Amino acid sequence: NAGVMQNPRHLVRRRGQEARLRCSPMKGHSHVYWYRQLPEEGLKFMVYLQKENIIDESGMPKERFSAEFPKEGPSILRIQQVVRGDSAAYFCASSPLTSDPNTGELFFGEGSRLTVL
Amino acid sequence: AQSVSQHNHHVILSEAASLELGCNYSYGGTVNLFWYVQYPGQHLQLLLKYFSGDPLVKGIKGFEAEFIKSKFSFNLRKPSVQWSDTAEYFCAVNADTGGFKTIFGAGTRLFVKA
């Protein structure tokens, strides 16, 4: 089975452009989580989604950031009008439908590294 | 708000040395606790977890962790490390409040000298 797939692995954008990061969860998984990792910091929770629903977006910046997980296709994290401070590694994780989101294991992708020039 | 503190950002050990990585969290209620590991060039993967029962948890590759509720701690241990244990280790907490955020510590980079 393929693991959690993220693309692109590396993305370079100029200030003001848009960044789109994609995440395909493991087969059979319907929970998706996005985390951001800044240098020398831990993973910061951003958003938790199920198919067509945002369950918890308490970690998402109020502006410029949005996430979706459509019925078909990958989950997308979108950052509009990027700034240098958005440069980070963005990790996606997934877990099965039957998994308790509080106790279940998260399965991580390899991350997408965004660099804003 | 929940938070997780890992005491050391970088640890260097020789093979066969014993390992203990500290992890403390701040939340007074019921918690679920995890250690994840990221080997060089690989994705994060679960090492072990605790959510109830015996506070001494055994994980893969000879790792174990002990939940001490009174100290809000969940330290990771291994009696004898190997060169292949070189990796970054993340402690994580999910407070069983009905929310769904797993909060991660800043990570500890372990380098084991052969």
Side-chain angles (χ1 to χ4, degrees):
Chain A
N1 278 341
V4 177
M5 303 299 291
Q6 289 188 248
N7 67 83
R9 293 290 309 280
H10 299 274
L11 181 64
V12 179
R13 285 288 178 264
R14 297 191 181 279
R15 281 179 297 169
Q17 291 184 318
E18 178 179 287
R20 282 189 183 224
L21 308 177
R22 287 175 290 277
C23 170
S24 296
M26 285 181 70
K27 188 175 181 180
H29 287 194
S30 59
H31 302 287
V32 167
Y33 309 78
W34 284 94
Y35 285 82
R36 175 164 64 175
Q37 185 179 34
L38 296 168
E40 300 301 320
E41 295 187 22
L43 295 162
K44 303 292 187 187
F45 170 83
M46 299 182 75
V47 63
Y48 161 48
L49 310 104
Q50 294 179 10
K51 286 281 187 183
E52 300 184 282
N53 281 308
I54 297 174
I55 307 301
D56 184 340
E57 58 180 346
S58 57
M60 288 279 272
K62 293 288 186 284
E63 298 176 348
R64 302 188 298 108
F65 285 72
S66 62
E68 62 176 10
F69 187 18
K71 187 176 180 181
E72 301 291 339
S75 175
I76 296 176
L77 180 67
R78 183 182 176 204
I79 311 171
Q80 295 177 290
Q81 298 171 5
V82 296
V83 301
R84 288 216 174 104
D86 297 333
S87 295
Y90 292 84
F91 288 90
C92 173
S94 72
S95 63
L97 176 65
T98 53
S99 174
D100 181 339
N102 292 119
T103 62
E105 176 181 354
L106 298 178
F107 295 81
F108 280 86
E110 294 186 336
S112 292
R113 297 188 189 280
L114 172 66
T115 300
V116 180
L117 301 177
Chain B
Q2 304 163 50
S3 66
V4 180
S5 297
Q6 291 187 239
H7 305 162
N8 308 98
H9 289 299
H10 300 274
V11 173
I12 300 174
L13 295 173
S14 298
E15 276 196 312
S18 65
L19 170 72
E20 180 159 4
L21 301 181
C23 172
N24 286 90
Y25 63 91
S26 64
Y27 181 70
T30 302
V31 290
N32 305 301
L33 300 156
F34 308 81
W35 276 97
Y36 283 82
V37 60
Q38 186 173 27
Y39 297 103
Q42 297 186 26
H43 56 271
L44 276 91
Q45 55 190 288
L46 184 69
L47 199 56
L48 49 77
K49 68 177 182 180
Y50 168 83
F51 57 90
S52 66
D54 188 345
L56 184 62
V57 180
K58 305 282 187 186
I60 59 171
K61 302 187 180 185
F63 285 91
E64 65 178 32
E66 185 174 13
F67 170 48
I68 303 179
K69 190 174 181 179
S70 61
K71 295 184 178 180
F72 299 90
S73 70
F74 190 55
N75 292 354
L76 181 70
R77 299 194 294 250
K78 184 170 183 178
S80 175
V81 295
Q82 300 172 314
W83 176 80
S84 58
D85 293 324
T86 294
E88 189 161 15
Y89 294 81
F90 293 89
C91 182
V93 173
N94 189 312
D96 204 1
T97 59
F100 304 107
K101 290 177 287 189
T102 300
I103 307 299
F104 284 79
T108 297
R109 292 192 177 181
L110 171 66
F111 179 73
V112 180
K113 297 184 291 186

